[in-house]
Amino acid sequence: DRRRFVFQGKGDQAPGLEAGDVIIEIRELRHKKFQRLGKDLVLDQKIRLLDALCGVQFPLRHVDGNDLEVRCAEGEVVRPGEVWVIRGRGMPGIDGRGPGDLLIRFDIQFPKSLPAGAREQLRPIIDPEAPLAPHSSGAGGGAWSKLFGGTGREQKASNVEAHRAPARRAKEVAELLVAKERAAQKGDHSQEAQCHQM
């Protein structure tokens, strides 16, 4: 986020003294849309589920002031969290190198609910081989059942309904998972260091 340029001997001069240096430090300001990743630019873009399935198109004003019409080919399905690339639309290259890329990370906005019968209407288009009703495993039992106090015999599965977690709970879980992943990475690095010492 910072870059320093030093111009030696270009500072104040005085008789009998060596000229000082001019030091210029450039600090990057946070942009409301883009993040810089080296010479690449990262854009988090929200799109509707319909667009993700049937073709994405949206207007974008680039950091250089030019207006772009971003398109993904019709028929190309965009999956949640995918990163798409527009070559050469990142930051200008330094020292004669080419420009970076524009990386678009898609956040797909799913509908909160669908009307009754939507599965039957969508199935022929989205997944013709899917069953008419959601998949059910049908039975439970075995070692896991014994572990949690069951008999271990095959039995009819209990119907339970899942609900969307409240926003606060979802955020808490996400933060815990990130912390867990960081802890695991630290553990991996310490193991690698031990291996190198042997």
Side-chain angles (χ1 to χ4, degrees):
D1 292 357
R2 295 185 182 186
R3 191 175 180 91
R4 179 176 282 197
F5 298 88
V6 179
F7 298 90
Q8 294 181 344
K10 300 295 183 182
D12 288 340
Q13 298 180 5
L17 295 176
E18 187 178 344
D21 298 336
V22 173
I23 300 174
I24 299 175
E25 186 176 83
I26 298 175
R27 298 185 184 183
E28 180 182 321
L29 296 176
R30 188 180 295 274
H31 195 276
K32 63 181 180 179
K33 280 189 177 181
F34 299 96
Q35 297 178 60
R36 190 170 66 84
L37 197 62
K39 63 177 182 176
D40 295 330
L41 286 175
V42 180
L43 170 71
D44 287 314
Q45 179 68 29
K46 292 183 179 181
I47 59 171
R48 292 185 174 90
L49 177 60
L50 183 63
D51 293 333
L53 296 173
C54 302
V56 175
Q57 181 173 341
F58 61 92
L60 175 68
R61 174 152 290 181
H62 198 274
V63 289
D64 63 8
N66 288 321
D67 291 323
L68 307 175
E69 192 71 27
V70 180
R71 295 178 183 169
C72 298
E74 189 174 346
E76 288 282 349
V77 174
V78 178
R79 294 172 178 80
E82 277 191 338
V83 176
W84 289 52
V85 182
I86 300 178
R87 304 282 180 198
R89 285 292 186 168
M91 296 297 289
I94 299 174
D95 301 329
R97 298 177 184 175
D101 298 329
L102 174 57
L103 309 175
I104 305 172
R105 186 168 51 181
F106 286 106
D107 177 13
I108 299 171
Q109 305 297 291
F110 285 79
K112 291 184 178 178
S113 62
L114 290 173
R119 182 183 181 93
E120 189 174 333
Q121 294 173 357
L122 294 172
R123 189 177 69 93
I125 300 169
I126 295 177
D127 191 355
E129 297 179 7
L132 284 172
H135 178 69
S136 173
S137 60
W144 285 109
S145 177
K146 285 182 181 179
L147 182 64
F148 289 101
T151 62
R153 293 187 298 240
E154 292 291 323
Q155 55 189 7
K156 187 176 180 182
S158 301
N159 285 326
V160 293
E161 189 170 337
H163 297 278
R164 187 176 289 110
R168 176 183 271 180
R169 176 70 174 133
K171 183 180 178 184
E172 180 183 292
V173 170
E175 289 171 351
L176 287 170
L177 288 172
V178 168
K180 184 177 180 181
E181 186 177 332
R182 285 182 182 157
Q185 288 175 350
K186 284 182 182 177
D188 290 343
H189 291 323
S190 64
Q191 287 175 5
E192 286 174 9
Q194 289 170 6
C195 291
H196 290 307
Q197 290 171 1
M198 293 177 65

